[in-house]
Amino acid sequence: MGMGTSTFIIRWINFLTMLLAITIIIFGVWMSTHHDNCRRSLTLPVLGLGALIFIISIIGFLGALKNNTILLWIYLIMLCLVLVAILVFTVLAFIITNNGSGHSVAGLRYKEYQLKDYSSWFLNHLNNPENWKRLKSCLVKSEDCNNLSKKYKTLKQFKSAKLTPIEAGCCRPPFECGYPVVNASYYDLSFHPTSSNKDCKLYKNSRAVKCYNCDSCKAGVAQYMKIEWRVVAIFNLILFVVLSIVYFVGCCARRNAARSRSKI
């Protein structure tokens, strides 16, 4: 690859990624202005990612603009570290999300989830009292459970609904409890469950309680996180390929810059 071509590509790629980084930082600042703890917990990672991309991009842009081998070396080293970090995270994400899947229930279109099916990382994270306290407050504020009766106005609609993992695990008692359904958000708890599942006793019709203390709710959150992590892992694979190409072009630009310096 010629010197002019490689440096031109590096300049424009890093100019575009600088704009992307600024967008990410603005989004992180916007998130920090919200009082929702669920969103605010993601503020620092988002701001950190935006800042890191901006710093790497501006170093690469200046290095290619000025044909500076030192800046290009710094750029390549930082980009290499990012590539390694992405690769490690992606492999770990696939390992962590390898276990766990729903169990089909006769007569229902959705699945139920059991916490024991998931990896030890999910078990440790969700069974940590502080972590679960924060996650539970997010679930209560989301109003997903209380809105079920608005989404499904009849029992027929509710029984034929395809609930999300969180709705299936946190908004209703496990099917084995056998509580008669009054509506999508209310169960007849006067029925004595035959199941020994502790979640049957933990479920309450109260808006603030529901099954938020149940293992089935933690399993529903684990399944939701598993799906999200898989999406992120696939995105990271694509990002890894793209950044590897950028890294290759950067190596060409650094080598060409060194050659031009040696000729002076």
Side-chain angles (χ1 to χ4, degrees):
M1 186 179 292
M3 181 177 68
T5 303
S6 59
T7 53
F8 175 80
I9 294 174
I10 283 293
R11 282 200 298 265
W12 277 103
I13 286 177
N14 286 287
F15 178 73
L16 294 175
T17 52
M18 273 192 287
L19 296 179
L20 174 63
I22 292 171
T23 303
I24 294 173
I25 292 172
I26 291 173
F27 178 65
V29 172
W30 175 82
M31 290 174 67
S32 68
T33 61
H34 287 68
H35 299 293
D36 186 344
N37 287 330
C38 305
R39 289 180 177 177
R40 290 190 68 181
S41 64
L42 296 174
T43 299
L44 287 179
V46 169
L47 288 173
L49 177 63
L52 182 61
I53 292 175
F54 183 80
I55 292 171
I56 294 175
S57 299
I58 199 167
I59 291 173
F61 180 81
L62 292 175
L65 182 67
K66 296 182 177 297
N67 219 19
N68 188 301
T69 54
I70 296 176
L71 288 177
L72 287 173
W73 264 117
I74 295 172
Y75 168 74
L76 290 174
I77 291 171
M78 294 182 70
L79 189 57
C80 181
L81 292 175
V82 169
L83 284 170
V84 171
I86 290 174
L87 186 61
V88 170
F89 175 83
T90 303
V91 171
L92 288 176
F94 277 112
I95 292 174
I96 290 172
T97 60
N98 189 46
N99 299 326
S101 60
H103 299 267
S104 299
V105 179
L108 299 178
R109 293 187 61 196
Y110 53 86
K111 295 181 178 181
E112 291 191 333
Y113 304 89
Q114 296 181 8
L115 188 58
K116 63 182 181 180
D117 294 339
Y118 294 87
S119 68
S120 58
W121 186 90
F122 280 120
L123 294 177
N124 293 332
H125 182 75
L126 295 174
N127 283 326
N128 181 288
E130 288 298 318
N131 290 340
W132 187 246
K133 181 180 178 181
R134 178 179 58 80
L135 289 169
K136 187 170 69 173
S137 69
C138 295
L139 293 170
V140 174
K141 289 178 182 179
S142 69
E143 291 286 323
D144 287 343
C145 293
N146 298 319
N147 289 333
L148 286 180
S149 57
K150 298 177 182 178
K151 290 171 62 177
Y152 310 109
K153 299 186 182 299
T154 65
L155 286 179
K156 184 178 180 181
Q157 288 178 338
F158 180 60
K159 290 180 178 179
S160 62
K162 195 170 183 180
L163 302 182
T164 66
I166 290 179
E167 289 173 341
C170 303
C171 304
R172 47 177 290 282
F175 183 79
E176 63 184 284
C177 298
Y179 291 128
V181 185
V182 178
N183 60 47
S185 299
Y186 197 90
Y187 290 78
D188 182 3
L189 301 184
S190 62
F191 176 83
H192 183 70
T194 56
S195 173
S196 60
N197 190 335
K198 66 176 183 178
D199 288 354
C200 297
K201 294 182 179 180
L202 291 173
Y203 176 83
K204 303 295 178 185
N205 287 314
S206 169
R207 296 166 66 95
V209 180
K210 291 296 181 181
C211 214
Y212 296 132
N213 294 314
C214 303
D215 281 349
S216 62
C217 184
K218 293 179 181 179
V221 173
Q223 180 64 20
Y224 172 81
M225 292 173 68
K226 173 185 173 178
I227 295 171
E228 292 292 301
W229 276 49
R230 277 294 173 96
V231 172
V232 172
I234 293 171
F235 172 78
N236 278 347
L237 279 177
I238 298 171
L239 183 62
F240 181 82
V241 173
V242 173
L243 289 181
S244 296
I245 296 172
V246 173
Y247 184 80
F248 170 75
V249 176
C251 287
C252 294
R254 198 276 316 160
R255 186 174 63 248
N256 292 330
R259 285 177 180 174
S260 64
R261 289 273 181 181
S262 63
K263 291 178 181 179
I264 297 175

